[in-house]
Structure formats: structure tokens, C-alpha cells
Amino acid sequence: MDDRNHDEIVSEQNEKLRIQRNYYRRLHVDDLCILNAEEYYESLKDWSKFKEPRDTSKRDAEKDSKVTFWLKCKSIFSDRAKKELEEKRKEAKVLQQEYEQYHQKRVNRMRAQFEEQQRKNHESVDEMKSMYAKGDKKQIINFFNAVLVNDDFTLDILYRKERYDSASVISEYDEKTKTLSYRYRIPNSDEICVIDRFVYDEESGEVIAKELDKTHAKRVRMHLLQTLLLRSAARIICSDESKNIEFINLTGFIRYYDRAYGNNRDINVVKLNISREIILQINPERANISELFERVLKGKFKTSAGLYDKEPVGLTEIK
């Protein structure tokens, strides 16, 4: 591999890195997957078509009348066997008509059961939709859990591309204040790309990644964290056409493996309180996310001391 090829690889990798950085910058606004309540409830309905069972009347009639493959073969060479086959085929034809009538009755019965179950399903979903429109707490929680689960994005668009699992779940909805409270898994340090650039290392003869220094790496991680929290809150409010939510109380947690316990554990490390009023004032295309959190959301956004500096086991949980 010559120097020109090294340069090409470095250039290609750095272009991918540029795309990744731009993706992080726009993650709060791109492909938000807004969920419409009408579409959501319609998606819960059973819209499948009745599948009629196969009619095996002819095959079953021939089997019960002893119209066998062996008898068919014998009838080619034997008049006696040919006559026997004709008689059995007549029997089979009578049986077939009987079996076809039975089959049709069975199909009609199954279709009626299917249509009744489907009707009940549609009525049940329509009732849930009606309860949601009336501000029913259970349906509001169900709907916004679906909003959170419906989000689809990745933290790495260049290599792994697996869907990010926020493990979000709504813990409470206060009907009086219209406050929705939920938990959201925030990324661990190693899930966030903090590569500064790619360079060719003459000693190893390979193209290697140079990471940002600790200060700038933390800045990237915190910026992505804020972007994800804003994305999640914006999806809630933008999906809330009925205006059931006025305030969002969001708790961010890190999931990590604790060697002492020998299993995965969660620790709450972020708190964000944000209102519908603030979200609707934000121009997502032009907003400076860092300044938004530092100035507008000051006092409403808190993180555990040492977040993205310390290992999760060394962080103090935010209550």
C-alpha cells in the first residue's frame, strides 16, 4: 500500500467522521417519528383478512372410498380393477358432496367467529381511543409509552447502526398538573463517538483514530446527552395533539455492569424538567443546544457530579 492509498483511506475515514458529527448535531430534530393518536389506535386494531381453511373434500372422499393409487395403476391393465375403480369413484363423488357441505358450514362458522372477534377488538380499541380523548390517565400513559418506544435512531450511523434502546418507561402522570414523568437511558461513555481525526501511523503502518482530549470529549458527550433529552421531550409534546401534557419530568439513568454485584445495575444521573411552553418556543433547526441548557433550562437540568468523568460506580445518584 503506497502513501497515496494511505491518504485516500485517511480522507475517507475523516469524511465519515464529519458525517457522524453532523448527525450528532441534528439528532434533536431529524426523523423524530412523531406518533399521531388516531394512527396509534388504528394500528392496535386487527385489520387482518379471514383465511379460509383448505378444502380437502375430494382427497378425503377418495381416501375414505378406497380410491387408491395402487387401484388406479391396476385399472390400466385389468378390466375388473377398472370396474372396481369406477364404482369407488361414484362413492367418492357422493361423499365429496357431503364433505363439501360440511366444509362450507365449518368455513361459515369460523368466518363468523373471526368477524365477531374482530368486531369486539375494534370496539375495544375505539373505547380506549375515546378514553384517551377524555384524558383517561391509563390511556395517556399507554399512548406516551408507545411514543417513547416508537423512536428509532442509532448513535453510530457509520459502523454498528443498531437501534438505540432508551429503555424508556413512564412512571407517573399527574392529571392535575398535567405532568408526565418518565425514565430514559442515557448513553455510556463508550457509546458516543469522540474521535478527533484519523491519521496514518508510520510506525505501525496503519490508519489509526486519534481521540479528543478529555475536556473536549466530555463536551461532546454532554452535548449529545442534551440533544437526546431534548429529542425525547420534543417527541412527547409534538405527539400530544390533545394537549394532555404541560410539563415533563425526565430522569436519565446509566445502565452499567457492576463487578461487585455481578450483574447490570441502573443509576439515575440526570434530571430535566421542561414545559410545553418552552419546547414550543424552540426553533429546533437553529437552536444552540448547549446555550439552551445552560441559560434557558438553568436550574431545571441537573447532572450527577462527575458524569462522563467518573466510572458509573463512582457517581452519586440523583434523587
Side-chain angles (χ1 to χ4, degrees):
M1 185 180 292
D2 57 27
D3 291 340
R4 181 181 59 82
N5 287 331
H6 295 149
D7 291 341
E8 287 177 357
I9 294 173
V10 169
S11 178
E12 179 184 348
Q13 292 295 90
N14 283 326
E15 175 59 20
K16 289 182 178 180
L17 184 59
R18 185 192 67 78
I19 295 172
Q20 177 72 58
R21 285 172 175 164
N22 188 57
Y23 175 74
Y24 277 177
R25 282 193 291 268
R26 294 189 54 82
L27 197 49
H28 65 289
V29 69
D30 285 346
D31 299 323
L32 289 184
C33 302
I34 305 305
L35 187 61
N36 175 273
E38 183 74 22
E39 293 175 355
Y40 165 68
Y41 282 105
E42 287 301 298
S43 73
L44 297 182
K45 293 181 178 180
D46 178 10
W47 294 106
S48 62
K49 300 294 183 182
F50 174 70
K51 187 175 181 181
E52 187 173 316
R54 183 181 176 186
D55 185 359
T56 60
S57 299
K58 183 177 180 180
R59 184 191 65 188
D60 294 342
E62 288 188 347
K63 181 180 178 181
D64 293 346
S65 299
K66 303 271 192 285
V67 180
T68 64
F69 175 75
W70 177 241
L71 181 58
K72 291 177 183 178
C73 292
K74 284 176 64 178
S75 68
I76 299 174
F77 306 100
S78 168
D79 291 339
R80 182 178 178 182
K82 184 176 181 180
K83 185 177 180 180
E84 181 182 358
L85 177 62
E86 290 175 353
E87 291 175 354
K88 290 187 178 297
R89 278 179 167 164
K90 289 179 181 179
E91 293 177 15
K93 192 171 183 179
V94 173
L95 272 181
Q96 183 179 342
Q97 291 177 344
E98 180 183 334
Y99 290 172
E100 284 175 347
Q101 291 176 357
Y102 173 78
H103 171 77
Q104 192 57 51
K105 290 180 181 179
R106 177 169 172 260
V107 168
N108 293 341
R109 184 173 64 253
M110 292 176 66
R111 179 182 284 107
Q113 291 174 345
F114 173 85
E115 290 175 350
E116 177 64 13
Q117 289 175 353
Q118 196 170 65
R119 184 188 63 78
K120 289 181 178 179
N121 166 263
H122 286 206
E123 286 182 351
S124 175
V125 173
D126 284 338
E127 177 63 20
M128 290 191 291
K129 183 167 62 174
S130 175
M131 294 299 291
Y132 172 79
K134 294 175 182 178
D136 179 73
K137 180 176 180 178
K138 180 180 178 181
Q139 287 306 316
I140 288 174
I141 289 177
N142 286 345
F143 172 69
F144 287 106
N145 267 325
V147 171
L148 294 172
V149 170
N150 189 56
D151 200 7
D152 188 9
F153 68 94
T154 176
L155 293 184
D156 187 347
I157 63 172
L158 302 178
Y159 301 105
R160 294 194 298 268
K161 296 185 180 180
E162 68 265 24
R163 182 179 186 271
Y164 182 73
D165 180 12
S166 65
S168 299
V169 60
I170 295 173
S171 57
E172 184 59 44
Y173 172 66
D174 188 315
E175 298 163 284
K176 293 182 179 179
T177 62
K178 293 189 173 183
T179 300
L180 189 75
S181 302
Y182 65 95
R183 300 179 75 230
Y184 188 99
R185 185 183 76 82
I186 67 171
N188 291 70
S189 294
D190 59 2
E191 292 182 272
I192 303 172
C193 177
V194 289
I195 298 173
D196 180 28
R197 65 192 187 281
F198 288 93
V199 299
Y200 173 65
D201 181 60
E202 294 185 358
E203 184 175 340
S204 65
E206 296 179 352
V207 174
I208 61 174
K210 292 282 188 179
E211 291 196 350
L212 295 165
D213 60 68
K214 289 186 177 180
T215 300
H216 287 87
K218 181 177 180 180
R219 189 176 301 167
V220 169
R221 290 179 174 120
M222 289 300 297
H223 181 271
L224 179 62
L225 163 62
Q226 293 167 350
T227 298
L228 293 180
L229 298 183
L230 180 60
R231 175 189 180 90
S232 178
R235 292 184 65 254
I236 291 289
I237 297 303
C238 292
S239 298
D240 182 28
E241 295 179 357
S242 299
K243 297 183 179 179
N244 290 307
I245 312 300
E246 290 297 331
F247 301 95
I248 292 174
N249 180 14
L250 198 164
T251 300
F253 67 94
I254 282 181
R255 179 164 293 165
Y256 67 99
Y257 179 76
D258 191 323
R259 294 190 300 273
Y261 288 90
N263 54 37
N264 289 326
R265 294 172 66 83
D266 295 347
I267 179 170
N268 297 331
V269 293
V270 173
K271 288 283 187 181
L272 172 64
N273 295 299
I274 190 168
S275 67
R276 167 188 289 274
E277 181 183 7
I278 289 178
I279 289 178
L280 294 181
Q281 290 181 48
I282 298 170
N283 180 344
E285 292 287 347
R286 302 181 64 182
N288 183 307
I289 305 302
S290 297
E291 187 172 349
L292 174 70
F293 275 80
E294 290 171 7
R295 182 164 60 85
V296 180
L297 298 175
K298 186 177 182 180
K300 301 180 183 298
F301 173 62
K302 298 178 181 179
T303 65
S304 178
L307 178 62
Y308 291 138
D309 285 328
K310 301 178 181 178
E311 291 295 319
V313 71
L315 297 174
T316 301
E317 185 163 37
I318 290 183
K319 301 297 184 181

